[in-house]
Amino acid sequence: TEDEVVGAEPDFMELTGDGNIAVFNEDQRVRSVFLNNETLRWSKRATGDVTSLAMNPSGSAILVGTENGNVDLFDEYGNLTWSYASNPSNKKSSGITGVALSKEGTIAAAGSFDGKIFALNAKGEEIWSNQTKDNIHHIAMNGEGTLVVATGENTVYAFSTIAQPKTTVKSPVPSKTPVNRQPVTTLPGNNSTQNSVTREPASQAITV
């Protein structure tokens, strides 16, 4: 029932900074419980089966990635604040594999199995996105929300979520391209290149 706390083993779980509240999922269902007395705070359905989960330290924002490519943000009371569809054409293998939140819950980041990495603002609007040829497995973000790191099969991707000064943007090869365009980084020992495809504000990708 809706009031039961104990059920199937959760796929993902997060704790608030003080350790008093836990948020976890069971398939499509997201639940929040008080740990001191094991009572249910709320139980809501995400817009798809949950494949990743993140929560900021205060518990005021809970970010959920789904199998169908959606990213949902719930507030501390379980209300759906916004939902972002990263896979509107319902392509296969485009599920969200990792999500991350800034400390205040105002910046969100996510990665998908088909290689998309993107950041969203407090309204669920896309700040920037980058389409790789990789399968993204994990996403992490610093507390300020200014740095996003993603891991693929054999590659780590790092992105800045703020615009960089023009003097710091350098092209590794001679180019007549304007300096505010993102550089192309050639992978060591590899003839392929990785292009950073972003929207304003600019994001800079570093592939190692």
Side-chain angles (χ1 to χ4, degrees), residues 42 46-47 54-56 60-66 70-76 78-84 100-102 104-108 120-124:
W42 50 262
T47 57
M55 180 169 60
N56 67 335
S60 62
I62 298 96
L63 191 67
V64 170
T66 68
N70 290 349
V71 178
D72 302 336
L73 184 74
F74 294 91
D75 67 15
E76 60 187 314
N79 300 311
L80 183 62
T81 304
W82 49 257
S83 183
Y84 173 84
L101 272 174
S102 63
E104 300 300 324
T106 54
I107 303 292
L120 307 170
N121 63 19
K123 296 181 180 180

Side-chain angles (χ1 to χ4, degrees), residues 135-199:
N135 299 133
I136 303 304
H137 294 290
H138 302 284
I139 290 282
M141 181 188 293
N142 67 341
E144 293 75 20
T146 56
L147 179 66
V148 175
V149 177
T151 60
E153 297 291 342
N154 299 294
T155 307
V156 175
Y157 303 88
F159 300 88
S160 171
T161 60
I162 58 176
Q164 299 295 315
K166 289 184 178 181
T167 56
T168 66
V169 180
K170 299 178 181 179
S171 175
V173 294
S175 174
K176 295 181 180 180
T177 303
V179 293
N180 61 351
R181 185 175 178 179
Q182 295 299 308
V184 177
T185 304
T186 303
L187 300 178
N190 194 325
N191 293 326
S192 64
T193 59
Q194 178 65 53
N195 293 304
S196 178
V197 181
T198 63
R199 297 180 181 179

